[in-house]
Amino acid sequence: MPLKHLRWILLSLLPFVVSCNLLTPLVFIGEHKKKVSPEFDKLAGRRVAILVWTDPSTLFDYPYARFELATYVGDKLYAEMTRRELDTEVVDPRDVEDFIQKNVNAQIYPHAVGEAFDADYVVYMEVLRFQFRNPEQPQFLRGQIHASVSVHDIRADPDQLRRYELAPVKCQYPDGAPVLMTATNAPLIREATYRKFAEQVARKFYEHTVEL
């Protein structure tokens, strides 16, 4: 084919190439997010206590796990509800922990905790999996926290629903390859896992967006 003909063909195709490139952002680039409604939307303007149950073996290895999880969840919930001007009051997790230390059975009785702190609702989490090192590969770190989540209405009448079961939370960090166990990495992975877990629990109570 003569060179001038080839040049003419390429020039004639140029507007189509350019137009396709201009259209690309409209199709493939964008926020790609969607709004997600809260699973439970009754915490606005209410007083809420956070209660966490962990099995004894977890507390043996991590004595402050129950208190730490309650603190991270409580702080995240309060921060997000305040940012949205929803005026939710969260009972200080330190007070809840002190109460449980003095009343051990209360850790499985959300209503007892709610009544003790004059709360409207208790967000109750039962931790079913709490792991940061794989027994088969203890030289690596990957945080995993799985928990059921329910909300207990402390002021509900006897003939009303008093317990709302929400979707369980399965948190893992990092999502990719595990991290080598070192004195520096261990607390960093634990804190990052706590933060991710707290976010997954807290966002059950307010509208938020997720990546598609």
Side-chain angles (χ1 to χ4, degrees), residues 101-147:
Q101 292 285 352
K102 298 173 183 176
N103 304 272
V104 179
N105 291 335
Q107 65 180 313
I108 59 173
Y109 291 108
H111 275 75
V113 173
E115 290 172 357
F117 293 98
D118 194 28
D120 298 296
Y121 295 99
V122 173
V123 177
Y124 181 49
M125 290 159 283
E126 295 185 42
V127 178
L128 309 175
R129 184 180 185 87
F130 188 90
Q131 178 178 296
F132 293 95
R133 298 173 68 181
N134 188 330
E136 299 176 357
Q137 294 180 306
Q139 72 274 27
F140 291 109
L141 294 167
R142 173 182 280 144
Q144 292 185 330
I145 304 177
H146 299 176

Side-chain angles (χ1 to χ4, degrees), residues 19-206:
S19 64
C20 288
N21 288 336
L22 291 175
L23 287 174
T24 297
L26 300 179
V27 179
F28 297 104
I29 299 176
E31 293 188 357
H32 293 294
K33 297 179 179 180
K34 72 171 182 178
K35 289 185 178 180
V36 178
S37 299
E39 288 187 56
F40 188 87
D41 61 358
K42 303 180 186 299
L43 298 190
R46 302 295 185 178
R47 180 172 169 84
V48 180
I50 309 297
L51 179 61
V52 177
W53 176 88
T54 56
D55 62 69
S57 63
T58 295
L59 292 178
F60 181 82
D61 294 326
Y62 301 94
Y64 303 106
R66 179 177 63 207
F67 169 65
E68 290 169 344
L69 287 173
T71 299
Y72 273 83
V73 171
D75 287 350
K76 182 63 175 176
L77 179 63
Y78 177 76
E80 294 293 340
M81 298 295 275
T82 300
R83 185 166 69 86
R84 292 165 172 78
E85 300 183 348
L86 296 175
D87 300 325
T88 298
E89 180 184 1
V90 177
V91 177
D92 192 330
R94 291 173 296 185
D95 294 336
V96 175
E97 181 64 21
D98 288 343
F99 179 76
I100 294 174
Q101 292 285 352
K102 298 173 183 176
N103 304 272
V104 179
N105 291 335
Q107 65 180 313
I108 59 173
Y109 291 108
H111 275 75
V113 173
E115 290 172 357
F117 293 98
D118 194 28
D120 298 296
Y121 295 99
V122 173
V123 177
Y124 181 49
M125 290 159 283
E126 295 185 42
V127 178
L128 309 175
R129 184 180 185 87
F130 188 90
Q131 178 178 296
F132 293 95
R133 298 173 68 181
N134 188 330
E136 299 176 357
Q137 294 180 306
Q139 72 274 27
F140 291 109
L141 294 167
R142 173 182 280 144
Q144 292 185 330
I145 304 177
H146 299 176
S148 63
V149 182
S150 58
V151 180
H152 295 253
D153 187 344
I154 306 304
R155 305 192 188 283
D157 293 331
D159 59 341
Q160 294 178 326
L161 184 63
R162 306 188 73 182
R163 173 190 172 102
Y164 300 83
E165 195 72 33
L166 308 185
V169 170
K170 291 188 176 181
C171 171
Q172 177 174 287
Y173 184 88
D175 290 327
V179 176
L180 185 65
M181 170 67 180
T182 67
T184 301
N185 286 340
L188 293 178
I189 294 298
R190 187 172 171 184
E191 181 182 9
T193 307
Y194 279 172
R195 290 187 182 279
K196 185 174 181 180
F197 175 80
E199 180 180 3
Q200 289 182 225
V201 174
R203 69 186 182 186
K204 292 177 176 293
F205 304 103
Y206 51 81

